[in-house]
């Protein structure tokens, strides 16, 4: 497996009811095709060798024997495939007939899973033909289809020998629809992948319900769920089947077939990601250790060969920003609401009706002002009590200055201008700094002077300073310590730069604002160096790298703890790989790790600010890291790429 990815497939093949010979040929043909497309786990529907709708024909010895023989045929004909295959059939024994799923691999009969919960309501009458396998019954070993000592039951784990992250188990159709599905026990025993062989008929609204059910079970179990459903060739005497198959990973839908298409669906699931999620979610580990239904599982091993390179999983190049316009608009509204409600609570708590913001005409301060306006509106405070201070200095351009002034007027806040050049020059004189030397001291003196003005004016007006810095800047340390790094409440502290732009765009669309659109078109810059011909000379992304790359790196570093090599692999397989060369991505990934490790001291004392997404760097919440940690291990791995 490449970085924990394994390609899976759910297949609804052509079939003829009760024609085991025809069905087995189609199963073999479909398995070969799926394996050639790189699938290493292939799931067929419930009772796929006979067909689900055989009714009382399941009592016929001829059908029972044919199903057994054709399973042996399928095992033989798929022996050269590098794939774990699940197919369904009836299995007869002295106590009755069981509805089963056979797990086969490279000519081996690994296990026979029996269905526990048989539907016997509405249009279903499975208890008429089948015997349920009770969950308190222990797995036993049987001889079947020419194989001896095949594990038979429910408590069976299929373990890939070379990868402890890949553990597969199975349940059958109705098993999922009960309050405590077998898959819940499977995942607590360590399964990361659940196969479900199903024959769910289609009625109005059932597809959406089925989708919700599979996603919910996958999410609460932190597993991949492969749901293969019976297709259109089942008997329509009383029901219609649509072949609705799904592949879901931790609640996220990776692949889904169109109803009545009988299409095979493929998806690259990431078992490494699932294991990382389980480690981080401590309540999951608690559930494992305090499982009241803890059972002894039979473990069966299988050996997958390395998969051929056929990676097709969609990797979102902007993981913080939904692609769909409607979803993005809804996400923006949710984020904005969380931001201003966080600030509103702080305002109510300290009985504060005055706020101060340094307004530069850039994206971050623009968003901070817009959020503060909403917070003041929500607590019934006048926007005139919000003071937007513009502080022109050596790097300020007419464009950003005019936009800052126009935005303040448009928002109905108080605008104050404090020109800080003379104060900064006096400070240069005090510390012996040459004004013509445009070094880090030259820049930081301006940033700290801005913060001093804001803090002191907040004292004067009995208000608080609203921070404007965003999550991406905190990750890279792209802020001046005790300068723009400091505030009394940071409304943007968990907003990545790529999302800031869309949030401001949302406000621009909502208010049809020309000034906001011009701010969106302005290059991102701290404006600490003199302009060139009146235009911004200091473009942030030229110095630290593209924010869309850094936000991508940050997401996979913090959200899943992925290795540098895996993050590099994912970036190359996303749209970023089409925009940036391999060398450019690697260059900025190295920069990201160097800056992320060296700048922790700034994050260790960052101001309060509400978490609004899955990623945050607050030392009081999501991220605790020593300021003296070395990046050696991470950078060394990058040197091998």
């Amino acid at each position: 497996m490449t970085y924990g990815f394994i390609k899976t497939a759910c297949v609804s093949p052509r079939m003829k009811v009760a024609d085991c010979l025809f069905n087995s040929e189609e199963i073999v043909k479909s398995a070969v095709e799926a394996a050639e497309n790189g699938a290493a786990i292939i799931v067929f529907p419930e009772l796929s060798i006979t067909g689900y709708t055989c009714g009382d024909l399941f009592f016929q010895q001829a059908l029972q024997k044919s199903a057994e023989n054709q399973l042996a045929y399928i095992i033989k004909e798929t022996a050269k495939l590098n794939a774990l295959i699940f197919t369904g059939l009836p299995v007869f024994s002295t106590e009755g007939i069981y509805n089963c799923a056979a797990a086969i691999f490279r000519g081996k009969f690994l296990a026979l899973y029996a269905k526990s919960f048989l539907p016997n309501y509405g249009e279903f009458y499975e208890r008429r033909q089948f015997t349920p396998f009770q969950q308190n019954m222990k797995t036993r070993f049987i001889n079947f289809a020419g194989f001896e000592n095949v594990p038979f039951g429910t408590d069976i784990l299929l373990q890939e020998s070379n990868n402890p992250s890949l553990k597969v188990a199975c349940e059958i159709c109705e098993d999922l629809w009960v309050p405590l599905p077998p898959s819940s026990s499977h995942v607590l025993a360590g399964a990361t992948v659940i196969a479900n062989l199903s024959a769910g008929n289609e009625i109005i609204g059932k597809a959406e319900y089925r989708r919700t059910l599979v996603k919910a079970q996958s999410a609460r179990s932190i597993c991949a769920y492969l749901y293969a459903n019976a297709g259109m060739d089942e008997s329509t005497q009383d029901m219609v089947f649509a072949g609705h198959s799904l592949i879901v990973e931790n609640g996220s839908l990776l692949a889904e077939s169109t109803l009545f298409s009988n299409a095979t669906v493929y998806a690259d699931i990431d078992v490494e990601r699932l294991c990382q999620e389980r480690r981080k979610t401590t309540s999951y580990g608690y559930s494992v250790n305090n499982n009241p239904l803890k059972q002894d599982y039979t473990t069966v091993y299988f050996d997958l060969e390395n998969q051929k390179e056929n990676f097709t999983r969609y990797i979102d190049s902007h993981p913080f920003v939904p692609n769909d316009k409607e979803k993005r608009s809804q996400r923006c509204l949710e984020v904005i609401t969380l931001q201003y409600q966080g600030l509103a609570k702080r305002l109510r708590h300290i009985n504060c009706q005055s706020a101060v913001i340094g307004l530069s005409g850039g994206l971050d301060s623009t968003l901070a002002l817009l959020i503060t306006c909403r917070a003041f509106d929500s607590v019934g405070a006048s926007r005139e009590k919000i003071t937007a201070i513009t502080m022109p200095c050596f790097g300020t351009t007419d464009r950003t200055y005019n936009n800052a002034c126009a935005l303040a007027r448009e928002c109905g806040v108080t605008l104050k201008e404090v020109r800080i050049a003379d104060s900064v020059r006096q400070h240069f004189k005090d510390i012996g700094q040459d004004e013509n030397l445009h070094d880090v001291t030259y820049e930081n003196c301006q940033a700290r002077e801005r913060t001093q003005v804001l803090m002191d004016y907040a004292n004067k007006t009995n208000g608080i300073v609203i921070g404007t810095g965003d999550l991406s800047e905190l990750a890279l340390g792209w802020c001046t310590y005790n300068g723009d790094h400091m505030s009394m409440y940071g409304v943007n502290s968990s907003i990545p730069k790529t999302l800031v732009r869309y949030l401001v765009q949302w406000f621009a669309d909502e208010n049809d604002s020309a000034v906001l659109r011009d701010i969106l078109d302005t290059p991102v810059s701290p404006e600490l160096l003199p302009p060139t011909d009146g235009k911004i000379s200091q473009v942030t992304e030229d110095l630290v790298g593209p924010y869309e790359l850094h936000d991508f790196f940050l997401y996979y570093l913090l959200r899943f703890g992925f290795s540098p090599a895996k993050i590099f692999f994912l970036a190359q397989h996303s749209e970023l790989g089409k925009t940036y060369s391999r060398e450019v991505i690697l260059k900025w990934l190295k920069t990201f790790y160097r800056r992320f490790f060296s700048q922790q001291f700034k994050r260790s004392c960052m101001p309060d600010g509400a978490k609004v997404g899955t990623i945050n760097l607050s030392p009081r919440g999501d991220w605790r890291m020593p300021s003296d940690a070395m990046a050696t291990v991470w950078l060394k791995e990058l040197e091998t790429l």
Side-chain angles (χ1 to χ4, degrees), residues 322-386:
N323 281 325
D324 181 78
K325 187 176 181 180
E326 186 175 337
K327 289 182 179 178
R328 185 166 62 240
S329 180
Q330 181 61 33
R331 176 73 59 83
C332 286
L333 179 58
E334 291 174 359
V335 170
I336 288 163
T337 303
L338 288 168
Q339 283 183 277
Y340 83 72
Q341 289 290 359
L343 176 58
K345 164 60 181 174
R346 179 55 54 88
L347 294 173
R348 291 193 301 269
H349 177 69
I350 61 176
N351 194 27
C352 176
Q353 295 197 348
S354 173
V356 177
I357 297 177
L359 194 60
S360 68
L363 282 173
D364 288 342
S365 64
T366 293
L367 178 60
L369 176 60
L370 295 169
I371 295 300
T372 304
C373 287
R374 289 221 164 189
F376 269 59
D377 293 345
S378 74
V379 299
S382 171
R383 289 191 179 189
E384 293 180 354
K385 293 292 186 179
I386 303 170

Side-chain angles (χ1 to χ4, degrees), residues 125 208 394 551:
Y125 296 94
E208 179 59 32
F394 310 131
D551 283 356

Side-chain angles (χ1 to χ4, degrees), residues 428-474:
F428 284 165
K429 183 179 179 181
D430 293 341
I431 66 172
Q433 171 70 18
D434 183 353
E435 185 178 334
N436 296 313
L437 179 60
H438 297 165
D439 59 4
V440 66
T441 305
Y442 176 89
E443 295 183 33
N444 285 348
C445 283
Q446 297 173 69
R448 291 195 178 96
E449 182 60 28
R450 292 173 180 171
T451 303
Q452 176 175 270
V453 170
L454 296 174
M455 290 288 181
D456 292 346
Y457 197 81
N459 289 157
K460 180 180 173 65
T461 57
N462 196 30
I464 62 171
V465 175
I466 306 299
T468 61
D470 62 50
L471 180 68
S472 306
E473 292 177 342
L474 285 166

